[in-house]
Amino acid sequence: MNFLAPSILWGLFAAAIPVLIHLISTRRTQRIDFSTVRFIKELEHDTIRKLKLRQLLLLILRTAAIVLLVAAFARPVRVGYFPLVGAVGQSTRIAVLLDNSATMDGRVEGTTLLQRSKTLALFLLGNLEGEFILDAYQTSPFRRLTSEAINSEQRLREIFELIKPTSRPDNLWTAVDSVVARSDQEEALAEPSANRELYIFSDFPVTVPEGWQLPSQNDWRFYLFPQPSLDNNLRVKSAGISSLLKMPNQLLTVETLISSSGNDVKKDVPVQLFFDESRTGQVVSDFDPDDDKNFLFQAFAGEPGIIHGTVEIPEDNFVHDDTHHFQFRMMEEIRCL
């Protein structure tokens, strides 16, 4: 739960006013002459008890009324709140930036992060009633897919289907700059919009560059939709030949570094070495969370020429770092004077 106007929450101190009035009134006693005390016991067990209960209930209602009134003015929202749900119009411009870089091809519960983002964006925008202006962008390579008035969920689906996963980096904050600049250009050529919203769907793999500021004179509201982290991921960080002499019939040494992320212990993971698509080595190991392990393979490469090597681990939630390729030249002989 969050609040769009949290400063108004200071008004919650006013909820103490009914409590103070109640405490003060209980201290004040009124003296009344009474002819007999015969009925005091009956009043104590019946009428007085009901009166105290009624006063307590009234105190609770007065306090709750003040709390709810202050909370209403503070405008409470849920995490992930979409402020434009309901009726909108062409005075609203919504820019959507979908990250389709390599890291968004990771899988959570059998679905890629990119597909999860598309589904969420379609759900949010599809619930809007009326027509609004949509600027749709992708990050890799940066491209604007459309800038048009939208009033159909089917059209939204067609636009998002144009965004395909890539193996490129995202350059996310450069893309944000470009989105705002291009949308501002559209605003200058047409009637300015009353509302400007930018929705970013990404796994946010990088931090905001130091000194970065939004290059716009217009008021933009940002809404970030981060993706869950990948709990099951092993990565081949590096692999290559460490031997200085590379000749036929000579045992070569291949060094590789494997990194683990997530919270689970991974058991019996095979790490395989291939030379020209022929498996020449394998080791099986366990990986703890946030574990890095070096492995040394010794193998024969075969005939002279260009040798293509590959270190491979089983597929996991992110397949782009499960294989590392390298190559080297095998000399036929070394001649020395």
Side-chain angles (χ1 to χ4, degrees):
M1 177 67 69
N2 206 339
F3 295 90
L4 298 181
S7 60
I8 298 180
L9 293 177
W10 287 103
L12 290 175
F13 285 110
I17 295 177
V19 179
L20 293 175
I21 294 176
H22 176 74
L23 294 176
I24 293 174
S25 63
T26 56
R27 289 176 173 269
R28 290 163 48 183
T29 59
Q30 186 175 4
R31 185 180 183 91
I32 299 176
D33 295 331
F34 201 73
S35 60
T36 178
V37 295
R38 209 155 43 97
F39 305 105
I40 293 297
K41 294 296 182 182
E42 296 181 12
L43 289 173
E44 182 180 1
H45 293 290
D46 187 12
T47 308
I48 294 179
R49 179 175 300 175
K50 290 182 180 179
L51 182 61
K52 289 182 177 180
L53 183 60
R54 188 177 304 169
Q55 290 177 343
L56 181 61
L57 181 60
L58 186 60
L59 172 65
I60 294 175
L61 291 177
R62 287 171 175 170
T63 305
I66 295 176
V67 171
L68 293 177
L69 185 63
V70 172
F73 279 103
R75 301 173 63 188
V77 295
R78 292 181 293 108
V79 175
Y81 165 72
F82 193 61
L84 296 179
V85 171
V88 296
Q90 284 194 329
S91 62
T92 297
R93 178 179 292 273
I94 302 177
V96 176
L97 177 62
L98 277 164
D99 184 355
N100 63 326
S101 61
T103 55
M104 291 292 284
D105 204 31
R107 291 182 173 271
V108 173
E109 298 178 356
T111 304
T112 65
L113 301 183
L114 177 58
Q115 187 58 48
R116 290 169 60 96
S117 297
K118 289 182 181 180
T119 302
L120 179 57
L122 182 63
F123 171 75
L124 294 175
L125 299 180
N127 284 330
L128 297 180
E129 299 177 0
E131 193 173 68
F132 59 93
I133 300 174
L134 173 68
D135 296 335
Y137 298 85
Q138 68 176 35
T139 61
S140 308
F142 178 76
R143 182 164 67 98
R144 187 174 70 177
L145 305 171
T146 188
S147 178
E148 60 182 273
I150 295 290
N151 59 5
S152 166
E153 184 176 342
Q154 178 60 33
R155 179 56 182 152
L156 287 171
R157 194 182 304 274
E158 293 173 358
I159 294 172
F160 292 146
E161 285 302 319
L162 297 174
I163 303 177
K164 306 297 181 183
T166 68
S167 58
R168 300 180 178 217
D170 53 29
N171 297 320
L172 183 63
W173 301 109
T174 301
V176 171
D177 290 343
S178 300
V179 167
V180 173
R182 295 195 64 176
S183 295
D184 282 346
Q185 289 178 1
E186 296 292 333
E187 293 277 288
L189 298 176
E191 183 179 354
S193 300
N195 300 307
R196 301 174 187 86
E197 313 282 347
L198 175 55
Y199 297 90
I200 305 174
F201 297 84
S202 175
D203 56 349
F204 298 97
V206 295
T207 58
V208 179
E210 184 177 356
W212 180 84
Q213 292 183 348
L214 183 65
S216 175
Q217 300 300 320
N218 295 321
D219 288 331
W220 283 88
R221 285 184 287 184
F222 282 71
Y223 298 90
L224 311 183
F225 297 86
Q227 300 301 310
S229 59
L230 304 181
D231 292 331
N232 177 28
N233 184 41
L234 287 175
R235 173 189 176 192
V236 184
K237 276 190 172 181
S238 62
I241 295 290
S242 59
S243 301
L244 297 179
L245 296 178
K246 307 175 183 64
M247 297 180 59
N249 302 320
Q250 179 177 335
L251 205 58
L252 301 178
T253 301
V254 179
E255 185 175 357
T256 183
L257 175 62
I258 311 295
S259 176
S260 172
S261 63
N263 301 319
D264 299 331
V265 177
K266 300 170 180 62
K267 296 284 189 180
D268 301 328
V269 177
V271 181
Q272 302 182 84
L273 172 66
F274 294 85
F275 282 156
D276 289 333
E277 299 184 356
S278 297
R279 190 174 69 175
T280 57
Q282 174 177 302
V283 63
V284 178
S285 180
D286 299 336
F287 290 87
D288 295 326
D290 299 321
D291 195 9
D292 288 340
K293 285 189 175 182
N294 280 294
F295 298 97
L296 292 177
F297 293 93
Q298 289 190 322
F300 293 100
E303 300 296 326
I306 301 298
I307 306 297
H308 299 276
T310 303
V311 173
E312 185 178 289
I313 57 178
E315 290 189 0
D316 49 30
N317 288 343
F318 186 65
V319 299
H320 293 284
D321 57 8
D322 294 338
T323 304
H324 190 95
H325 301 280
F326 60 95
Q327 65 180 22
F328 60 95
R329 182 178 182 85
M330 177 74 72
M331 304 296 294
E332 183 175 0
E333 62 181 0
I334 298 178
R335 298 180 180 180
C336 300
L337 291 178

